[in-house]
Amino acid sequence: NAGVTQTPKFRVLKTGQSMTLLCAQDMNHEYMYWYRQDPGMGLRLIHYSVGEGTTAKGEVPDGYNVSRLKKQNFLLGLESAAPSQTSVYFCASSLYPPWDNYGYTFGSGTRLTVV
Amino acid sequence: DAKTTQPTSMDCAEGRAANLPCNHSTISGNEYVYWYRQIHSQGPQYIIHGLKNNETNEMASLIITEDRKSSTLILPHATLRDTAVYYCIAITSGTYKYIFGTGTRLKVLA
């Protein structure tokens, strides 16, 4: 099993460009999450999904949109990239909610630089 | 969610037990304590979690004080591969927005 796969692994964008980060999981997990991690900081939740066709805002949702059209995929979109969105983005999934499971499975991250 | 406080960094000799403390003095009765670690720049890895009782798995042990205001993650025989940032998180039943703080940077020394 591949677990949680994130593509791309690295990307450089110019300010104002758009892009989509793809997260795919093959564990039939119900719940999926997008986090960002800035240097010297912990992870902050951007958006999450509690099942196919659902999305919800996390702690820092501004400037991002998400979609969960298929259970196995969770897409994170940047419509108009800004330098403040330079970060490492992690996707995670879990079979059960955060308070009732044996932890999330995280992807290896996407390192995004906006110039 | 309860705020957790951890030391910024710790060192541990290889082969010795690593004891990582976490303070969560404002924790409520329905908040779980979860531990994750992040090795270098990889995605975080789940280690263990608990509510009231002490817990043990193949990776570590979690000791939660009786008043639940603090906990300790124990890696019984630390190896160089355990060098990582360790996060202690309090997760409330029913919420998705919990906080990964800055964690404890554990360095295992040869």
Side-chain angles (χ1 to χ4, degrees):
Chain A
N1 283 345
V4 176
T5 303
Q6 292 184 232
T7 53
K9 294 194 183 313
F10 302 93
R11 184 73 185 268
V12 178
L13 280 181
K14 292 183 179 179
T15 298
Q17 286 184 320
S18 63
M19 79 163 294
T20 300
L21 282 67
L22 171 63
C23 177
Q25 52 94 5
D26 61 1
M27 299 169 286
N28 202 34
H29 282 178
E30 203 66 39
Y31 302 84
M32 296 187 74
Y33 318 84
W34 275 107
Y35 284 88
R36 62 176 287 175
Q37 184 172 34
D38 300 313
M41 297 182 67
L43 284 78
R44 292 183 292 171
L45 181 65
I46 305 172
H47 285 281
Y48 63 96
S49 169
V50 301
E52 181 179 307
T54 76
T55 63
K57 293 180 179 180
E59 184 187 355
V60 288
D62 294 342
Y64 305 95
N65 55 74
V66 287
S67 64
R68 182 105 182 263
L69 299 179
K70 293 183 178 181
K71 187 176 185 178
Q72 64 268 34
N73 295 337
F74 196 28
L75 279 63
L76 178 70
L78 287 72
E79 290 185 348
S80 179
S84 61
Q85 294 178 303
T86 293
S87 189
V88 180
Y89 292 84
F90 288 103
C91 176
S93 70
S94 64
L95 184 59
Y96 301 114
W99 59 88
D100 186 26
N101 65 43
Y102 286 88
Y104 292 171
T105 300
F106 278 86
S108 57
T110 295
R111 190 173 296 273
L112 176 67
T113 302
V114 183
V115 296
Chain B
D1 293 334
K3 177 179 168 58
T4 61
T5 304
Q6 300 177 252
T8 303
S9 63
M10 294 179 63
D11 290 341
C12 177
E14 188 178 21
R16 305 297 289 265
N19 297 288
L20 291 88
C22 179
N23 181 285
H24 31 79
S25 58
T26 61
I27 199 168
S28 62
N30 65 345
E31 286 187 286
Y32 293 80
V33 178
Y34 274 74
W35 284 83
Y36 283 80
R37 72 180 182 183
Q38 189 172 24
I39 296 174
H40 195 42
S41 52
Q42 299 175 18
Q45 176 189 24
Y46 164 79
I47 302 172
I48 199 167
H49 76 283
L51 183 62
K52 288 189 285 189
N53 300 321
N54 298 338
E55 302 288 344
T56 296
N57 62 21
E58 65 279 3
M59 288 183 68
S61 295
L62 175 60
I63 307 298
I64 303 175
T65 57
E66 194 168 339
D67 62 9
R68 301 188 69 239
K69 293 185 176 182
S70 66
S71 61
T72 301
L73 177 75
I74 301 172
L75 307 177
H77 304 287
T79 71
L80 298 178
R81 287 178 294 181
D82 293 321
T83 293
V85 177
Y86 287 78
Y87 298 99
C88 168
I89 307 161
I91 298 178
T92 301
S93 178
T95 185
Y96 293 86
K97 299 179 188 180
Y98 55 89
I99 300 170
F100 277 84
T102 52
T104 296
R105 186 172 297 276
L106 175 69
K107 187 173 183 179
V108 180
L109 306 172

